[in-house]
Amino acid sequence: MFDTICTLPLPSDLFAQAIHPTSPLLAVGLASGHVQTYRLPPIPTGPPTRSSPKHGRGTIETSWRTKRHKGSCRSLAFSSDGEALFSAGTDGIVKAARAETGRVEVKIGVPLVRSEIDAPCLLHALSPQTLVLATDSGALYLYDLRADPKSSGVAVGSRPQATFRPHDDYVSSLTPLPPTVASTSGFPKQWVTTGGTTLAVTDLRRGVLAKSEDQEEELLSGVYVTGLVSKRGRNGGDKVLVGGGSGVLTLWDKGAWDDQGGRIIVDGGKESLDVLARVPEGVGEGSCVAVGMGDGRVKIVRVGANKVVGELRHDEVEGVVGLGFEVGGRMVSGGGPLVKVWQESADVVGDEEEEDEGVDRVGTKRGTGSDSDEDSEDDEESSEEEEEQERKRRKKRKRANGKDRGGGKDLMQFTGID
């Protein structure tokens, strides 16, 4: 279903990735605290040729790179219009930067818990005005980015507009629900979260609306899917799909949040389903979801038929922690010190394609807009202890079966990356 068109090595393990909503721009957050943005190769038009990205030829440009956080960068999110990039680190600071240049414009201090840093674990920009931040303690904070219009940015230590606690454990996923027909803003006001063994629904103004029964397994990831058709050809409605720690994808009907409405066994070996992404319309057949797993595999699940229709390998050892689709329909997977870009398979077979098998070595361009934070010039590397703790938290069930980072015939290598 998908072919690897390029593999991007990173200088440190990936802890977070974000994909721009309207441009082929990728941001990565690393264990070292660095944040870096890349511009992906142009979207190919027409049938694949020897010079097209299908054959591994193209350039990934580094837009900017900076040491953004003291400690690791744990979460990234673009604003709804793509103008800002939010990052959150184990230093307990959230920073909003211009997506094009990396220049920081807003800093927010996460509230302390018992005088200690409550490390942020998830970010989501609900609208141009509202940022949702989740933490390890299970708290959900809402920040109004218009809070201080006279200031050049929200100061460190600013208080959240609202605080909710839908879970007793850390928030593992956050899935916005689409706005209702009556909405005047057109932006989401409700979202589904998973934490520990429960699912919850929270409203921007009314707080926690519903909480599921104990599912007796860890819930790790979520995605919203619309327009489903059941096995019998009937309208299956809208659902939230939730990935669990035992290889099972559960289906939740919108509005029926007390318990799951169905199950899809994705992995009989009970590998964790760590990240989910909706496959865009026009890519593949039917309503499909990409599932990033703790052992480095990516499986494609067709919802409605409720079966696995494809399997890919991101890495032989490292789990998949980032997964999504950019504006051109290409899939981006991230985990360990690698990012891979995938393109829907083309039915092109010929002598030229066979001759091009192997490794293509391509240079990378450096952007001139790098703008490092003033407060992050020391400590270029996060501590090994912190990195190991973070890896254990995120990958509790990761396997170790031997390592091969080749990952496909269309491997790209890059020079000039620190």
Side-chain angles (χ1 to χ4, degrees), residues 89-108:
T90 54
D91 53 6
I93 302 294
V94 176
K95 297 181 180 181
R98 299 292 298 175
E100 285 296 321
T101 65
R103 183 178 297 278
V104 174
E105 296 186 335
V106 173
K107 296 181 183 180
I108 300 172

Side-chain angles (χ1 to χ4, degrees), residues 198-209:
T198 60
L199 174 147
V201 180
T202 305
D203 185 271
L204 181 69
R205 297 185 178 88
R206 294 182 289 166
V208 180
L209 301 179

